[in-house]
Amino acid sequence: MRRIAAYTAALALGSCAAATRTAPPPEPDASARYTFWRPSPVLEAPDPNETVKNSAAVDWRDVDPDNLLIMELAGGGRVAIELATDFAPVHVANVRALARGNWWTPSSVYRVQENYVVQWGLNESDKPLPAGVVKAPPAEYDRALAGLDIRPLGFPDSYAPIVGHVNGWPVGYDPEAGRAWLTHCYGMVGVGRDLHPDTGTGGELYAVIGHAPRHLDRNIATIGRVLEGLDRLTAHPRGTEALGFIKDPKNHIAIARIRLASQMPAAERPSYQVMRTDTPTFSAFVTGRANRSGTFFRVPAGGVDVCNALVPTRRK
């Protein structure tokens, strides 16, 4: 049982047979192409790099060690992942239980798909799950909008009525439906699953390593994002099987162990910070990302998508 999203497989392989039996959509009216939104560049926008460099301590929040998953590769190197407890609490609780139960020791990266995802875990193993793991979590693909103080990005989006950021996370949301969800931007981490209605336990995880696959939004539980070490996962040959699976198990990328930072001795524990997204500093950062200037850029874009305004992170 290879835990991948059925939705992912269907789109990646172009095997959605139903699409071939429906009439094509009508051609858009070319005369209305620019009626909804036109970029308004800010010619004197702040440089986003300088905004981060000159930020104050109050502009950052610490990552809770209990929300920090540390993957140690057998060949050396670490991958640090922040868990999104506010968006997928049951899946995150499973991930914590798996880490505390030492379930991933050892495990491997067994899928590296070009411009898409890298996936790890035990794949087809029947290893018993630790106590406390919910075998059939709810479909935590979105959550109630109530209670979230979202900063709207301020620019249109192709996949959500509105996008923005909350507490350092990129989100899409629908005020009419009253729902919000994490977006599949570069570095975001999701839960591999089988065909619907399976939701995945959290034992098989993936990270986005290519152009943001936003079609996965609200179809898979998104449980976090890589803070550091994504290069340790991307700098490997791509799998040669369908969907980037690595054919020969001896070529899998061995993982020595995965644990929470809170399980590590204090002297060994890495610490990270994420820029707060409810501050004027972050607003300046977004303005700068939307209007790149300086000696290189000739024409400011006047707009940015949520996945091109990745929230800055840093080691503390």
Side-chain angles (χ1 to χ4, degrees), residues 43-125:
L43 300 181
E44 298 296 331
D47 180 274
N49 296 319
E50 289 298 313
T51 298
V52 174
K53 179 180 177 181
N54 297 325
S55 61
V58 72
D59 295 319
W60 300 81
R61 66 166 175 82
D62 294 336
V63 175
D64 187 335
D66 212 33
N67 290 337
L68 184 59
L69 195 67
I70 303 297
M71 177 195 304
E72 299 177 16
L73 302 178
R78 282 180 173 176
V79 181
I81 298 166
E82 182 182 19
L83 301 175
T85 56
D86 291 339
F87 286 86
V90 180
H91 283 89
V92 168
N94 275 2
V95 168
R96 288 192 184 119
L98 291 164
R100 291 176 178 134
N102 213 29
W103 191 78
W104 284 296
T105 304
S107 55
S108 68
V109 176
Y110 53 82
R111 177 189 180 194
V112 184
Q113 186 173 2
E114 174 63 15
N115 196 33
Y116 205 50
V117 300
V118 57
Q119 188 163 320
W120 64 89
L122 297 180
N123 200 11
E124 298 179 341
S125 172

Side-chain angles (χ1 to χ4, degrees):
M1 177 179 66
R2 286 181 170 175
R3 290 190 171 275
I4 58 174
Y7 197 78
T8 308
L11 288 173
L13 297 177
S15 60
C16 188
T20 65
R21 298 194 296 268
T22 59
E27 289 294 323
D29 181 359
S31 65
R33 189 172 298 163
Y34 300 109
T35 58
F36 295 104
W37 179 76
R38 184 183 297 273
S40 298
V42 177
L43 300 181
E44 298 296 331
D47 180 274
N49 296 319
E50 289 298 313
T51 298
V52 174
K53 179 180 177 181
N54 297 325
S55 61
V58 72
D59 295 319
W60 300 81
R61 66 166 175 82
D62 294 336
V63 175
D64 187 335
D66 212 33
N67 290 337
L68 184 59
L69 195 67
I70 303 297
M71 177 195 304
E72 299 177 16
L73 302 178
R78 282 180 173 176
V79 181
I81 298 166
E82 182 182 19
L83 301 175
T85 56
D86 291 339
F87 286 86
V90 180
H91 283 89
V92 168
N94 275 2
V95 168
R96 288 192 184 119
L98 291 164
R100 291 176 178 134
N102 213 29
W103 191 78
W104 284 296
T105 304
S107 55
S108 68
V109 176
Y110 53 82
R111 177 189 180 194
V112 184
Q113 186 173 2
E114 174 63 15
N115 196 33
Y116 205 50
V117 300
V118 57
Q119 188 163 320
W120 64 89
L122 297 180
N123 200 11
E124 298 179 341
S125 172
D126 294 324
K127 184 176 180 179
L129 296 170
V133 173
V134 178
K135 294 183 179 180
E140 298 180 301
Y141 305 157
D142 64 0
R143 58 150 289 169
L145 180 57
L148 294 179
D149 186 13
I150 299 178
R151 178 202 180 277
L153 182 67
F155 302 102
D157 186 77
S158 296
Y159 293 90
I162 311 177
V163 290
H165 297 85
V166 58
N167 198 29
W169 298 97
V171 297
Y173 59 108
D174 185 343
E176 292 188 7
R179 307 298 294 178
W181 55 91
L182 293 178
T183 55
H184 270 76
C185 297
Y186 183 80
M188 295 296 282
V189 174
V191 175
R193 67 168 176 86
D194 286 330
L195 298 173
H196 175 78
D198 182 65
T199 58
T201 62
E204 311 304 314
L205 299 173
Y206 65 86
V208 176
I209 63 168
H211 182 76
R214 293 283 306 284
H215 54 278
L216 297 180
D217 293 358
R218 293 180 287 176
N219 285 282
I220 300 181
T222 311
I223 58 107
R225 44 105 180 278
V226 176
L227 298 177
E228 185 178 51
L230 192 57
D231 58 312
R232 298 287 184 173
L233 301 178
T234 59
H236 292 278
R238 278 31 181 167
T240 57
E241 298 299 284
L243 301 177
F245 283 89
I246 301 172
K247 183 176 183 179
D248 192 338
K250 72 179 182 182
N251 293 327
H252 290 180
I253 304 157
I255 298 172
R257 60 181 171 180
I258 301 177
R259 54 182 170 166
L260 296 168
S262 57
Q263 295 177 262
M264 303 172 66
E268 300 177 15
R269 185 182 303 165
S271 298
Y272 295 89
Q273 291 185 316
V274 174
M275 179 171 276
R276 290 175 50 195
T277 50
D278 60 348
T279 66
T281 297
F282 183 73
S283 293
F285 172 80
V286 170
T287 299
R289 291 294 299 173
N291 300 277
R292 302 304 299 271
S293 57
T295 57
F296 181 84
F297 292 92
R298 186 176 65 88
V299 180
V304 67
D305 67 68
V306 70
C307 291
N308 200 27
L310 294 176
V311 180
T313 63
R314 67 186 186 186
R315 267 190 179 253
K316 185 177 179 181

